[in-house]
Each structure stands twice: as C-alpha cells, then as structure tokens.
Amino acid sequence: MLISFNGNEQSFEGMGLYKLMKDGSYEGTWFDSGGEMHAIKSSHDGKTLTSFWGKPGEKYGKTEYEFIDEKTIEVRDATQNKDGSWRSFATSRLVKR
C-alpha cells in the first residue's frame, strides 16, 4: 500500500521480467497496476542493480536496487527531467524477516 502526496492510500503492484544478456547486462519489460509498460536495460556492479526504463526524451526513468546486506534492499526511483537531471519520486527500504 502506498500513501499518495494528498494522504490517500493507493494500491500498487509491479513486475519486471529480466533476461541476462551475453555481455552480463540485463534487458526486460516492466508492467504495473497503473497501466505502465516500459522496456528495461540494466546493469549490476556487484552491489547495485541499475535499471533504466522508458524512452529518453519521453517518459524515461531509472530504478536502483542497492543490496545493503543479506536481508536489506533499498529501492530508489527517479525520472529524467528535460534538462537531463534526475528527480527522485520514491525510495523504499525492504527488509526480509
């Protein structure tokens, strides 16, 4: 359950399907309950999986999944502004129990 800026609860589900490419990168597609569907291109540096989604110049964003430890992942989402800068719109810390 998400809480929107106006304080209302909002359901959200999303799923990314990834394929490991021969060069070690990942490609895939994102689908979510808001009706969004985006192509994904990702790379992993050993600690963080960085996924770029959408189309540059249109709706383009990135999601970073940082593996903090064996039980914790921090997820950061941002969209790209027209000037090329990034605007964060969500950060979550997920902890396995």
Side-chain angles (χ1 to χ4, degrees):
M1 190 66 61
L2 300 172
I3 305 299
S4 66
F5 289 113
N6 63 10
N8 295 329
E9 289 186 356
Q10 181 179 351
S11 294
F12 179 82
E13 291 184 47
M15 178 173 48
L17 303 174
Y18 294 81
K19 178 180 178 182
L20 178 60
M21 307 306 288
K22 289 182 181 180
D23 66 358
S25 68
Y26 299 87
E27 292 185 7
T29 306
W30 170 261
F31 306 90
D32 69 38
S33 58
E36 298 286 333
M37 185 174 93
H38 299 289
I40 305 169
K41 292 193 182 275
S42 304
S43 62
H44 187 265
D45 67 6
K47 183 175 180 178
T48 303
L49 175 70
T50 302
S51 297
F52 292 94
W53 46 266
K55 289 185 175 183
E58 295 179 19
K59 188 168 192 175
Y60 189 58
K62 70 177 173 180
T63 303
E64 297 173 313
Y65 303 85
E66 182 179 354
F67 300 88
I68 306 296
D69 57 38
E70 298 83 29
K71 294 184 176 184
T72 310
I73 299 173
E74 185 169 284
V75 182
R76 296 179 296 272
D77 287 296
T79 53
Q80 192 172 51
N81 296 312
K82 290 183 181 191
D83 66 3
S85 64
W86 293 96
R87 182 185 65 81
S88 175
F89 68 87
T91 300
S92 303
R93 187 166 276 229
L94 310 172
V95 179
K96 184 177 180 179
R97 294 182 186 194

